[in-house]
Amino acid sequence: MAADSVETRISELRKQIDHHNYLYYILDQIEVPDAEYDRLMRELQELEQQYPTLVTPESPTQRVGSTPLSEFSEVQHEQPMLSLGNVFTEQELMEFDQRLRDRLAQPGSGKSIEALEYVCEPKLDGVAVSLLYIGGKLVRGATRGDGSRGEDITQNVRTISTIPLQLHGDGYPELLEVRGELFISKGTFESINEDALKQNQKTFVNPRNAASGSLRQLDPKITAKRNLEIYIYAAGWVEGGELADTHHERLKQLNQWGLRTNPEIKKVQGAAECQVYYEQIGAKRDDLPYEIDGVVYKLNSIKLQEQVGFISRAPRWATAHKFPAQEELTTLLDVEFQVGRTGAITPVARLEPVFVGGVTISNATLHNMDEIKRLDLHIGDRVIVRRAGDVIPKVVQVVTDRRPANTTEIKMPNHCPVCQSEVLKDEQGIIFRCNAGLYCAAQRKESIKHFASRKAMDIQGLGDKIVEQLCALGLLESIADLYQLKSEQLIGLDGFGEKSANKLIAAIEASKQTTLPKFIYGLGIREVGETTAKQLANQFGTLEAIQNSDQESLEQTPEIGPIVAAHINHFFHDSHNRTVIEALLSAGIVWPSIEVSAVTQGVFSGLVFVVTGKLEQMSREDAKQKIESLGGKVSGSVSAKTDYLLAGEKAGSKLAKAQTLGVKILDEQQFIELADSR
Ligand code: I6G
């Protein structure tokens, strides 16, 4: 190729790659498959290798520099990076708005201003950065630092694919500095921590720490692997060009130049609509693929912004409306050990009550002894607890530099706290178990709760509290005793009169009409969840066939490996379990017979699906049934073993995780076509 045609081709390739990046990151669209994009990149890389003098710093091939830094140099912000004021309640929001309206009212006119126009956007819990473009080229990236001086992180921000090295289109100012929030999605955060655990390395406490830690790496190759993302929220220093005169239009301009802005940004009228926005974003907070800690309101008119100005180091024209904190500091008072349905002993933290995530919590799960070791947790420690959404509260960090002198070590008891049987470690040495099975009162109680639960026998009205009372009175020794209960035994128990007692007895009676998979699931066999119970029912057809199966035939069931097969085998050969099953059947439990079909060898046989988000043409439950009826398996979480993610609308962290792991993603239509085509 002649030198000038190489130059032309290189420029063409860069334009095409820029075009696809713009479509992908800004418009959320794709025009060509990944393979074609990769081909363009490869061709560019090869040409640049042959003609190194044609390489420019803005070329999309030049994201990762070669040499790690020894330290970050200092950057002076030409325009200080300010902080934001906060409001925490609707009342405070109204006061913020009133202050602005008072300030903007014509002095002496006696008239107050009508509703002000605001731009609302989620407030990401990430790391604020500044990006400087000169002549459209990214020349500097800096942290916020103390607002006046930050650190030069240019090498690292260059590795972030959502940050353009060259602005898109034209019309941008000669010098354009923008500010935004760098973050790590919830899905990426989970996989970074999973990898860290596998390699026995320290995990990050939350996505913000992960983003900050990834950004402050002296070796940009590490940053490049962390999948950082950005949303730009404002322009800062501008020279040699004009920006629009409203904040909303400015964000649109930035977007047209290839700078990614948050798709949730919305223009509203007045404080009441700000409050509605706050509530709407709050409602979908858990489904957003990134962490937020509130929303931000900004006056839309730049002229009005200038009129109201600043107070100390914060703009008067903007405020953050914060959600209740999801992390708080408290003290670990004690650790208790709970015995679960399968005998696993879980340490539970008893905490000094603390208000976090909108509720007061006094307990948090500690998972297992490994977690306690990893956290270096001692009784008496000051700890950070986290409660995000509906997730069970968790101790995420010990504040070791505030460790009091008299803390004590946490030790797993040698004997079950309920039945005093010996506690044994599992093969991996992580899970400790009481091996007394149903002889242990705690396991009996948990097995009854499980048997009655919605996905098992679905006994409505038999909640945890009544099970506890009945067990304490000795009326329930096993699940079979449920069917011997009389209404007179219930009357007088906490919350039970004649009517409610009769109702519960009727619900127990109604539960006798069930299905084989629900019955098997309800038995609470170790490692046999809903899906495995269905597989067993489909494979063997009858309970007798399952009971009489052996290790070998069990292992031939899809998705059942030697360990699960051994648990099933062991369960059905235990004489106590056989007696309980006989008692249940003689109490009258029945189910429709099952045709032993070829379903387990269906078109999705061997494939693992995860279903997430809102589907239009079917419910998620329908989709799961369809997958299973075609022999596939439905899992609740995305992992490297997932074959497909069926993602409906507002798919949150599961989608992000699937993208990170390279799991194939299907929308509803593609799923239907796949199911029909196979
Ligand atoms: O720290 C911030 C996060 C988000 C901000 C901000 C923002 O807008 C969405 N906006 C301003 C003006 C400032 N800090 C100073």
Side-chain angles (χ1 to χ4, degrees), residues 82-84 121-123 128 181 233-234 296 298 315 317-318:
L82 305 173
S83 50
L84 277 181
E121 74 171 280
K123 185 171 185 306
E181 199 84 0
Y233 58 72
V296 178
K298 291 180 182 165
W317 40 264

PDB file of all heavy atoms in Angstrom, residues 82-84 121-123 128 181 233-234 296 298 315 317-318, ligand 1:
ATOM      1  N   LEU A  82     -16.113  21.972  42.919  1.00  0.00           N
ATOM      2  CA  LEU A  82     -16.840  22.307  44.147  1.00  0.00           C
ATOM      3  C   LEU A  82     -17.481  21.076  44.763  1.00  0.00           C
ATOM      4  O   LEU A  82     -17.466  19.998  44.179  1.00  0.00           O
ATOM      5  CB  LEU A  82     -17.921  23.336  43.811  1.00  0.00           C
ATOM      6  CG  LEU A  82     -17.391  24.589  43.118  1.00  0.00           C
ATOM      7  CD1 LEU A  82     -18.533  25.455  42.666  1.00  0.00           C
ATOM      8  CD2 LEU A  82     -16.459  25.349  44.051  1.00  0.00           C
ATOM      9  N   SER A  83     -18.043  21.282  45.934  1.00  0.00           N
ATOM     10  CA  SER A  83     -18.838  20.185  46.501  1.00  0.00           C
ATOM     11  C   SER A  83     -20.308  20.579  46.414  1.00  0.00           C
ATOM     12  O   SER A  83     -20.625  21.689  45.969  1.00  0.00           O
ATOM     13  CB  SER A  83     -18.417  19.931  47.937  1.00  0.00           C
ATOM     14  OG  SER A  83     -18.412  21.153  48.620  1.00  0.00           O
ATOM     15  N   LEU A  84     -21.177  19.700  46.824  1.00  0.00           N
ATOM     16  CA  LEU A  84     -22.617  19.961  46.733  1.00  0.00           C
ATOM     17  C   LEU A  84     -23.224  20.033  48.123  1.00  0.00           C
ATOM     18  O   LEU A  84     -22.831  19.259  49.000  1.00  0.00           O
ATOM     19  CB  LEU A  84     -23.306  18.806  46.017  1.00  0.00           C
ATOM     20  CG  LEU A  84     -23.323  18.779  44.505  1.00  0.00           C
ATOM     21  CD1 LEU A  84     -24.089  17.550  44.035  1.00  0.00           C
ATOM     22  CD2 LEU A  84     -23.997  20.025  43.940  1.00  0.00           C
ATOM     23  N   GLU A 121     -30.755  14.331  38.267  1.00  0.00           N
ATOM     24  CA  GLU A 121     -30.051  13.112  37.849  1.00  0.00           C
ATOM     25  C   GLU A 121     -29.608  12.307  39.053  1.00  0.00           C
ATOM     26  O   GLU A 121     -29.455  12.862  40.158  1.00  0.00           O
ATOM     27  CB  GLU A 121     -28.891  13.426  36.909  1.00  0.00           C
ATOM     28  CG  GLU A 121     -27.653  14.026  37.501  1.00  0.00           C
ATOM     29  CD  GLU A 121     -26.523  14.074  36.451  1.00  0.00           C
ATOM     30  OE1 GLU A 121     -25.871  13.047  36.208  1.00  0.00           O
ATOM     31  OE2 GLU A 121     -26.310  15.155  35.900  1.00  0.00           O
ATOM     32  N   PRO A 122     -29.439  10.998  38.879  1.00  0.00           N
ATOM     33  CA  PRO A 122     -28.999  10.185  40.018  1.00  0.00           C
ATOM     34  C   PRO A 122     -27.621  10.631  40.474  1.00  0.00           C
ATOM     35  O   PRO A 122     -26.809  11.070  39.653  1.00  0.00           O
ATOM     36  CB  PRO A 122     -28.916   8.759  39.437  1.00  0.00           C
ATOM     37  CG  PRO A 122     -29.723   8.790  38.192  1.00  0.00           C
ATOM     38  CD  PRO A 122     -29.635  10.183  37.663  1.00  0.00           C
ATOM     39  N   LYS A 123     -27.371  10.536  41.764  1.00  0.00           N
ATOM     40  CA  LYS A 123     -26.036  10.880  42.276  1.00  0.00           C
ATOM     41  C   LYS A 123     -25.266   9.581  42.475  1.00  0.00           C
ATOM     42  O   LYS A 123     -25.557   8.806  43.378  1.00  0.00           O
ATOM     43  CB  LYS A 123     -26.161  11.641  43.592  1.00  0.00           C
ATOM     44  CG  LYS A 123     -24.801  12.115  44.074  1.00  0.00           C
ATOM     45  CD  LYS A 123     -24.930  13.053  45.246  1.00  0.00           C
ATOM     46  CE  LYS A 123     -23.585  13.615  45.637  1.00  0.00           C
ATOM     47  NZ  LYS A 123     -22.577  12.595  45.903  1.00  0.00           N
ATOM     48  N   ALA A 128     -15.257  11.452  41.736  1.00  0.00           N
ATOM     49  CA  ALA A 128     -15.384  12.608  40.838  1.00  0.00           C
ATOM     50  C   ALA A 128     -14.059  12.853  40.118  1.00  0.00           C
ATOM     51  O   ALA A 128     -12.991  12.807  40.742  1.00  0.00           O
ATOM     52  CB  ALA A 128     -15.774  13.832  41.640  1.00  0.00           C
ATOM     53  N   GLU A 181     -18.515  11.423  37.121  1.00  0.00           N
ATOM     54  CA  GLU A 181     -18.340  10.459  38.207  1.00  0.00           C
ATOM     55  C   GLU A 181     -17.892   9.134  37.594  1.00  0.00           C
ATOM     56  O   GLU A 181     -18.586   8.574  36.736  1.00  0.00           O
ATOM     57  CB  GLU A 181     -19.703  10.312  38.908  1.00  0.00           C
ATOM     58  CG  GLU A 181     -19.649   9.737  40.272  1.00  0.00           C
ATOM     59  CD  GLU A 181     -19.334  10.763  41.370  1.00  0.00           C
ATOM     60  OE1 GLU A 181     -19.153  11.966  41.088  1.00  0.00           O
ATOM     61  OE2 GLU A 181     -19.243  10.329  42.525  1.00  0.00           O
ATOM     62  N   TYR A 233     -21.265  14.881  34.252  1.00  0.00           N
ATOM     63  CA  TYR A 233     -22.420  15.632  34.756  1.00  0.00           C
ATOM     64  C   TYR A 233     -22.350  17.138  34.511  1.00  0.00           C
ATOM     65  O   TYR A 233     -23.328  17.837  34.725  1.00  0.00           O
ATOM     66  CB  TYR A 233     -22.707  15.332  36.232  1.00  0.00           C
ATOM     67  CG  TYR A 233     -21.582  15.599  37.205  1.00  0.00           C
ATOM     68  CD1 TYR A 233     -21.216  16.902  37.528  1.00  0.00           C
ATOM     69  CD2 TYR A 233     -20.925  14.553  37.829  1.00  0.00           C
ATOM     70  CE1 TYR A 233     -20.203  17.151  38.435  1.00  0.00           C
ATOM     71  CE2 TYR A 233     -19.910  14.796  38.747  1.00  0.00           C
ATOM     72  CZ  TYR A 233     -19.539  16.099  39.036  1.00  0.00           C
ATOM     73  OH  TYR A 233     -18.548  16.343  39.932  1.00  0.00           O
ATOM     74  N   ALA A 234     -21.212  17.665  34.076  1.00  0.00           N
ATOM     75  CA  ALA A 234     -21.158  19.117  33.824  1.00  0.00           C
ATOM     76  C   ALA A 234     -19.903  19.495  33.049  1.00  0.00           C
ATOM     77  O   ALA A 234     -18.921  18.740  33.042  1.00  0.00           O
ATOM     78  CB  ALA A 234     -21.161  19.879  35.148  1.00  0.00           C
ATOM     79  N   VAL A 296     -29.456  14.463  42.320  1.00  0.00           N
ATOM     80  CA  VAL A 296     -28.974  15.856  42.337  1.00  0.00           C
ATOM     81  C   VAL A 296     -29.973  16.707  41.551  1.00  0.00           C
ATOM     82  O   VAL A 296     -30.452  16.298  40.492  1.00  0.00           O
ATOM     83  CB  VAL A 296     -27.575  15.955  41.681  1.00  0.00           C
ATOM     84  CG1 VAL A 296     -27.092  17.399  41.657  1.00  0.00           C
ATOM     85  CG2 VAL A 296     -26.585  15.085  42.427  1.00  0.00           C
ATOM     86  N   LYS A 298     -30.442  20.539  39.784  1.00  0.00           N
ATOM     87  CA  LYS A 298     -29.706  21.747  39.389  1.00  0.00           C
ATOM     88  C   LYS A 298     -30.649  22.691  38.680  1.00  0.00           C
ATOM     89  O   LYS A 298     -31.471  22.234  37.857  1.00  0.00           O
ATOM     90  CB  LYS A 298     -28.579  21.373  38.411  1.00  0.00           C
ATOM     91  CG  LYS A 298     -27.489  20.588  39.069  1.00  0.00           C
ATOM     92  CD  LYS A 298     -26.381  20.216  38.120  1.00  0.00           C
ATOM     93  CE  LYS A 298     -25.364  19.387  38.875  1.00  0.00           C
ATOM     94  NZ  LYS A 298     -24.428  18.692  38.019  1.00  0.00           N
ATOM     95  N   PRO A 315     -22.208  25.326  44.944  1.00  0.00           N
ATOM     96  CA  PRO A 315     -23.141  26.174  44.202  1.00  0.00           C
ATOM     97  C   PRO A 315     -24.469  26.290  44.958  1.00  0.00           C
ATOM     98  O   PRO A 315     -24.933  25.311  45.526  1.00  0.00           O
ATOM     99  CB  PRO A 315     -23.328  25.425  42.878  1.00  0.00           C
ATOM    100  CG  PRO A 315     -22.910  24.027  43.125  1.00  0.00           C
ATOM    101  CD  PRO A 315     -21.967  24.039  44.285  1.00  0.00           C
ATOM    102  N   TRP A 317     -27.139  26.883  43.372  1.00  0.00           N
ATOM    103  CA  TRP A 317     -28.151  26.473  42.398  1.00  0.00           C
ATOM    104  C   TRP A 317     -28.303  24.956  42.270  1.00  0.00           C
ATOM    105  O   TRP A 317     -29.009  24.477  41.390  1.00  0.00           O
ATOM    106  CB  TRP A 317     -27.835  27.082  41.020  1.00  0.00           C
ATOM    107  CG  TRP A 317     -26.365  27.067  40.671  1.00  0.00           C
ATOM    108  CD1 TRP A 317     -25.472  28.073  40.845  1.00  0.00           C
ATOM    109  CD2 TRP A 317     -25.610  25.971  40.110  1.00  0.00           C
ATOM    110  NE1 TRP A 317     -24.219  27.705  40.433  1.00  0.00           N
ATOM    111  CE2 TRP A 317     -24.276  26.415  39.976  1.00  0.00           C
ATOM    112  CE3 TRP A 317     -25.926  24.679  39.698  1.00  0.00           C
ATOM    113  CZ2 TRP A 317     -23.267  25.612  39.449  1.00  0.00           C
ATOM    114  CZ3 TRP A 317     -24.925  23.878  39.182  1.00  0.00           C
ATOM    115  CH2 TRP A 317     -23.608  24.343  39.062  1.00  0.00           C
ATOM    116  N   ALA A 318     -27.618  24.221  43.139  1.00  0.00           N
ATOM    117  CA  ALA A 318     -27.712  22.753  43.054  1.00  0.00           C
ATOM    118  C   ALA A 318     -27.695  22.165  44.452  1.00  0.00           C
ATOM    119  O   ALA A 318     -27.148  22.757  45.382  1.00  0.00           O
ATOM    120  CB  ALA A 318     -26.534  22.190  42.262  1.00  0.00           C
TER     121      ALA A 318
HETATM  122  O1  I6G B   1     -20.301  15.516  43.229  1.00  0.00           O
HETATM  123  C1  I6G B   1     -21.233  15.700  42.312  1.00  0.00           C
HETATM  124  C2  I6G B   1     -21.953  14.640  41.831  1.00  0.00           C
HETATM  125  C3  I6G B   1     -22.915  14.831  40.870  1.00  0.00           C
HETATM  126  C4  I6G B   1     -21.467  17.011  41.821  1.00  0.00           C
HETATM  127  C5  I6G B   1     -22.463  17.204  40.835  1.00  0.00           C
HETATM  128  C6  I6G B   1     -23.180  16.088  40.371  1.00  0.00           C
HETATM  129  O2  I6G B   1     -24.094  16.320  39.442  1.00  0.00           O
HETATM  130  C7  I6G B   1     -24.858  15.241  39.004  1.00  0.00           C
HETATM  131  N1  I6G B   1     -22.695  18.434  40.361  1.00  0.00           N
HETATM  132  C8  I6G B   1     -22.006  19.460  40.831  1.00  0.00           C
HETATM  133  C9  I6G B   1     -22.295  20.806  40.315  1.00  0.00           C
HETATM  134  C10 I6G B   1     -21.015  19.296  41.795  1.00  0.00           C
HETATM  135  N2  I6G B   1     -20.747  18.066  42.293  1.00  0.00           N
HETATM  136  C11 I6G B   1     -20.251  20.421  42.341  1.00  0.00           C
END
